[in-house]
């Protein structure tokens, strides 16, 4: 069975700085990246599962708090209500 290698668009080799010459493939359950120009080979470690940080987007919505209705009082502006003689 042959390994399927995929070119990574825009990837730059860390050793020779060649662009678009890096391939990715899976070897024995590990992700490997390799430069086809200089032969650089790197195994990419899979990150362990970490809990997602709470943000305003993913947190649980809180129940709205009950508020008591209060009347609003408007007072006339004395400068606008004075009559000129």
């Amino acid at each position: 069975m042959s390994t399927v290698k995929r070119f990574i668009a825009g990837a730059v080799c860390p050793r020779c700085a060649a662009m678009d010459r890096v391939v990715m493939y899976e070897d024995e359950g590990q992700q490997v990246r390799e430069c086809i120009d200089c032969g650089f080979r790197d195994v990419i470690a899979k990150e362990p599962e970490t809990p997602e940080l709470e943000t305003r987007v993913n947190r649980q919505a809180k129940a709205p708090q009950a508020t008591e209705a209060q009347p609003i009082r408007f007072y006339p502006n004395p400068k606008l209500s004075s009559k000129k003689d």
Side-chain angles (χ1 to χ4, degrees):
M1 180 174 152
S2 65
T3 303
V4 178
K5 296 183 179 183
R6 301 177 317 265
F7 278 96
I8 307 302
V12 178
C13 175
R15 184 186 297 163
C16 68
M19 183 181 275
D20 294 334
R21 307 300 288 170
V22 178
V23 294
M24 295 269 313
Y25 60 92
E26 192 166 319
D27 184 27
E28 297 178 6
Q30 295 180 332
Q31 292 271 339
V32 178
R33 68 177 174 173
E34 183 176 353
C35 178
I36 62 171
D37 278 351
C38 69
F40 173 78
R41 186 172 190 262
D42 187 18
V43 176
I44 299 173
K46 292 185 180 181
E47 295 180 13
E49 297 273 335
T50 57
E52 186 176 3
L53 297 175
E54 184 177 315
T55 63
R56 65 185 171 97
V57 175
N58 68 359
R59 68 177 164 216
Q60 298 293 327
K62 295 180 182 176
Q65 296 178 352
T67 57
E68 183 178 326
Q70 297 177 354
I72 299 176
R73 296 182 189 173
F74 292 99
Y75 296 102
N77 188 342
K79 293 181 182 177
L80 296 177
S81 63
S82 65
K83 295 182 182 179
K84 293 184 180 182
D85 293 326

